[in-house]
């Protein structure tokens, strides 16, 4: 197949969008694999005044070098975003790291620059010989060492040391000019006059030397093309020869003094033309060829259109998948070295670079496939091809094809696909839509088309939507509920659907799906009270959202018990957050017959504010005692509105000792409180603590009197009384012969406490 990019014959630059594509011969029955478009916009202006010398592709942008020493950054549409004046002579190579944040540039006058696109800080050096190529470490931005290599008459590795200075290492020299470098992961591949080498930077070992086959070709005129397919597969193209090299790990038993890795050539074959560039495409290769053809008038070869082929490599040969001849600008004047092929791995884009033209090749997609089928009038194949997109239908104006496609899908009983296509084929044609709906009704497939019906700016008659809702209501309650949730309520007559649901509920009154859907219909119809009743009956989680959203607080005054039975925590929080709408008194009134719920409400109210519900504090004593004793004592401590006599009465009736002790002490009856601690709780530590808090000599005397015939209590007193009461008073009252546990330790502690008191007293006197 012969394809061509055609330009305006006067300027050679102003071309139509149609002319940007390559043209296939009319009688060709072979479908092309790639589509082409000329990179224009800012690129057009650049190439009018300058010529492309190299280009590097990142997923997000392009970097172009020119013969006049400039570097341009462009977006993928060819619009210029940045411009750098690097040199006055040709830019030989541009390298980007994977992040696209750092760039390396080298030029024919020996300049090398490596810098951040956003900082401009980096490496700047002038060499006394042309630098043909530069390559950054793929992870240059993230790496601490900032490694890159340059190729002139030597292969030099640059890296920053710990002093932030650049260190240079010679990786290779002595085999002529280095013309190409490709760095992938830890492997650096480069080409010189002799062949291709690979260096493992992690082990600092050179692991292969792939010799050049056709040594008769000048390496500067027919440069080597290198491309990494993945981290271990290198593709080498030189002259008309292609080799696929795989880096493998050497068996440890075979190493001796050999490198830890070696290279196996898994495919090697000759091609018909000279290779200008290579790029992987899955397990195939995209190859750019330089072509010469014989002149009809003279015995000499002329430069022909370059070819872009897709080939399938085999161990010793290759299979041609497709071949396109490209009419790039000034192709008659270009040599093999003037062409390059770059690719974007992310989107399978291939850039054919020549001095005065850059063409982008891309795999043809399903839309392009359908374009070709329609062009070839293969309508049946077009209809059965992959999904027809809206833009294709619009472009071809072939609604008839779309309708035939729908008919085909219906005939093959692929009803869902047929219904889905209606969205794109029928567009805004209401008549076609309604015809299709009735057809789907006839074949019993209204459900299939329901989810694709128009519901935006274009709407069908309400009767259409009601017909589908009735169909679902007969056979699929869940599907009916889904449509009610997804469809705007103004698509259909809401009252008619409410009546239909109500009729069904007469036969199935407890069906939760129908009840929930009816509540949603009532909500849309702004009959919130009815929706609220249903939600409360179902204990539906959306009840609180409904109340808040539509301010239904006046409607829930008589439903507070129902709300709390459903979710006490949410209900109480809602009531407390909206006291201005439902008063505390009203809530207490409604919960009067449900004291356990009333307690939850009043307890949370008290936690928020100790004073708001003070008039109910007396009632809360009994509620805490009945339902929440652990919080009774904290309540008694924190409330200043609680009647102590009433509280004492309740606590004594229930034999709540700790609470009674607290209330007695608060009412001033500390001796009785202490007595309860000793008699009811039998807890000497708590009794001592109580006596300490009250700091009353009579209480200490009562405590000693009660403890004097209880040896364990005496031990507790001896260990704690020393700093509050003279221990001699206690010791004198102990009966002679009484055995007291740990007496010796207790006496030692008393003496120690006494000595401490004497020292403190001495210091105060001093």
């Amino acid at each position: 197949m012969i394809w061509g990019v055609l330009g305006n014959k006067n300027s050679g630059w102003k071309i139509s969008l149609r002319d940007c594509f390559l043209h296939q011969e009319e009688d060709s029955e072979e479908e092309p694999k790639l589509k082409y478009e000329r990179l224009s916009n800012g690129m057009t202006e650049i190439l009018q005044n300058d010529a492309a010398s190299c280009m590097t592709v990142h997923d997000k942008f392009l970097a172009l070098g020119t013969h006049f020493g400039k570097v341009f950054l462009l977006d993928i549409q060819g619009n210029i975003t940045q411009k750098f004046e690097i040199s006055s002579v040709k830019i030989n190579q541009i390298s980007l790291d994977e992040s696209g944040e750092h760039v390396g540039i080298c030029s024919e006058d020996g300049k090398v620059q490596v810098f951040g696109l956003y900082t401009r800080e980096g490496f700047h050096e002038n060499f006394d010989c042309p630098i043909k190529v530069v390559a950054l470490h793929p992870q240059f931005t993230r790496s601490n060492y900032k490694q890159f290599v340059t190729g002139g008459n030597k292969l030099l590795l640059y890296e920053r040391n710990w002093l932030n200075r650049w260190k240079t290492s010679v990786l290779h020299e002595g085999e002529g000019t280095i013309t190409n470098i490709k760095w992938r992961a830890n492997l650096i591949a480069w080409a010189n006059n002799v062949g291709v080498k690979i260096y493992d930077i992690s082990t600092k070992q050179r692991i292969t030397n792939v010799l050049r086959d056709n040594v008769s070709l000048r390496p500067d005129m027919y440069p080597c093309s290198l491309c990494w397919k993945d981290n271990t597969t290198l593709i080498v193209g030189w002259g008309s020869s292609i080799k696929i090299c795989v880096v493998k790990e050497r068996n440890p038993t075979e190493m001796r003094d050999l490198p830890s890795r070696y290279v196996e050539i898994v495919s090697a074959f000759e091609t018909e033309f000279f290779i200008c560039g290579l790029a992987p495409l899955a397990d195939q290769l995209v190859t750019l060829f330089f072509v010469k053809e014989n002149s009809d008038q003279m015995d000499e070869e002329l430069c022909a259109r370059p070819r872009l082929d897709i080939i399938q490599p085999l161990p010793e040969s290759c299979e041609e998948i497709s071949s396109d001849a490209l009419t790039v600008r000034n192709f008659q004047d270009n040599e093999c070295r003037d062409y390059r092929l770059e690719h974007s791995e992310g989107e399978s884009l291939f850039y054919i670079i020549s001095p005065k033209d850059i063409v982008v090749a891309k795999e043809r997609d399903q839309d392009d496939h359908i374009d070709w089928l329609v062009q070839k009038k293969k309508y049946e194949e077009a209809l059965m091809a992959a999904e027809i997109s809206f833009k294709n239908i619009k472009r071809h104006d072939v609604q008839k094809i779309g309708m035939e496609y729908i008919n085909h899908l219906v005939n093959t009983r692929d009803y869902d696909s047929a219904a889905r296509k209606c969205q794109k084929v029928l567009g805004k044609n209401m008549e076609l839509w309604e015809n299709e709906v009735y057809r789907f009704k006839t074949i019993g497939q209204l459900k299939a088309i329901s989810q694709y019906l128009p519901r935006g700016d274009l709407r069908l008659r309400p009767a259409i939507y009601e017909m589908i809702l009735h169909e679902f209501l007969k056979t699929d309650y869940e599907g009916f509920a889904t449509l009610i949730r997804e469809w705007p309520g103004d698509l259909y007559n809401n009252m008619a659907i409410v009546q239909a649901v109500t009729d069904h509920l007469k036969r199935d009154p407890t069906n939760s799906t129908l009840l929930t859907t009816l509540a949603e219909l009532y909500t849309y119809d702004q009959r919130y009270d009815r929706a609220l009743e249903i939600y409360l009956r179902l204990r539906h989680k959306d009840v609180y959202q409904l109340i808040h959203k539509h301010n239904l607080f006046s409607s829930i005054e008589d439903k507070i018990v129902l709300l709390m039975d459903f979710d006490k925590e949410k209900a109480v929080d809602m009531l407390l957050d909206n006291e201005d709408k439902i008063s505390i008194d009203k809530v207490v009134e409604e919960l009067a017959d449900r004291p356990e719920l009333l307690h939850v409400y009043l307890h949370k109210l008290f936690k928020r504010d100790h004073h708001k519900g003070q008039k109910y504090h007396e009632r809360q004593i009994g509620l805490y005692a009945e339902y929440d004793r652990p919080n009774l004592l904290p309540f008694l401590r924190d409330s200043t509105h609680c009647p102590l006599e009433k509280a004492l009465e309740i606590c004594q009736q229930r034999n709540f000792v700790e609470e009674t002790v607290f209330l007695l002490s608060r009412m001033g009856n500390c001796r009785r409180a202490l007595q309860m601690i000793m008699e009811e709780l039998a807890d000497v530590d708590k009794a001592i603590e109580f006596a300490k808090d009250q700091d009353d000599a009579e209480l200490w005397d009562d405590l000693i009197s009660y403890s004097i015939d209880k040896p364990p209590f005496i031990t507790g007193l001896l260990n704690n009384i020393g700093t509050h009461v003279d221990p001699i008073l206690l010791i004198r009252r102990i009966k002679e012969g009484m055995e007291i546990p740990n007496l010796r330790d207790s006496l030692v502690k008393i003496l120690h406490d006494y000595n401490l008191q004497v020292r403190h007293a001495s210091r105060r006197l001093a």
Side-chain angles (χ1 to χ4, degrees), residues 629 648 651-665 669-684 686-687 690 699 702-703 706 713:
R629 184 184 172 188
L648 181 62
C651 291
Q652 286 178 333
Q653 287 174 354
R654 293 176 177 266
N655 197 27
F656 290 174
V657 178
E658 290 190 41
E659 292 84 351
T660 301
V661 168
F662 169 76
L663 292 167
L664 288 171
S665 64
N669 194 350
C670 294
R671 298 187 73 180
R672 174 61 184 143
L674 178 63
Q675 181 183 356
M676 288 194 70
I677 294 173
M678 299 296 287
E679 294 178 354
E680 302 289 338
L681 299 178
D683 189 337
V684 67
K686 189 167 286 190
F690 182 78
L699 284 181
D702 288 349
L703 181 55
Y706 184 83
F713 279 35

Side-chain angles (χ1 to χ4, degrees), residues 379-386 405 408:
Y379 297 114
E380 185 63 28
E381 292 182 47
L383 296 172
M384 297 178 63
Y405 189 25
H408 168 75

Side-chain angles (χ1 to χ4, degrees), residues 142-263:
R142 298 180 181 178
S143 169
N144 293 328
Y145 299 106
K146 306 299 181 190
Q147 295 172 314
F148 66 93
V149 289
T150 62
N153 51 24
K154 300 177 183 178
L155 180 67
L156 298 178
L157 170 67
Y158 295 83
E159 55 187 335
R160 275 188 172 162
N161 60 22
W162 64 278
L163 293 173
N164 209 28
R165 295 176 180 171
W166 291 103
K167 172 189 172 185
T168 308
S169 305
V170 178
L171 298 185
H172 190 69
E173 62 180 327
E175 293 184 354
T177 303
I178 293 165
T179 57
N180 201 348
I181 303 175
K182 293 296 180 183
W183 192 333
R184 180 77 173 238
N186 290 322
L187 299 177
I188 304 172
W190 73 94
N192 57 31
N193 291 352
V194 175
V196 174
K197 280 81 174 167
I198 299 178
Y199 182 82
D200 187 339
I201 199 164
S202 62
T203 61
K204 299 183 178 178
Q205 294 175 318
R206 199 174 78 192
I207 58 176
T208 193
N209 181 16
V210 181
L211 294 176
R212 178 160 65 107
D213 288 336
N214 193 339
V215 295
S216 64
L217 295 174
R218 286 175 51 185
D220 59 325
M221 295 296 292
Y222 296 89
C224 176
S225 296
L226 298 175
C227 175
W228 286 101
K229 179 182 178 182
D230 52 43
N231 287 352
T232 58
T233 306
L234 177 68
I235 306 168
V236 180
W238 209 335
S240 58
S241 169
I242 292 179
K243 294 178 181 177
I244 300 177
C245 311
V246 177
V247 179
K248 297 187 175 183
E249 299 289 338
R250 196 181 299 276
N251 190 317
T253 61
E254 301 174 356
M255 280 190 188
R256 296 185 295 277
D257 297 328
L258 298 174
S260 60
R261 292 178 169 185
Y262 68 98
V263 167

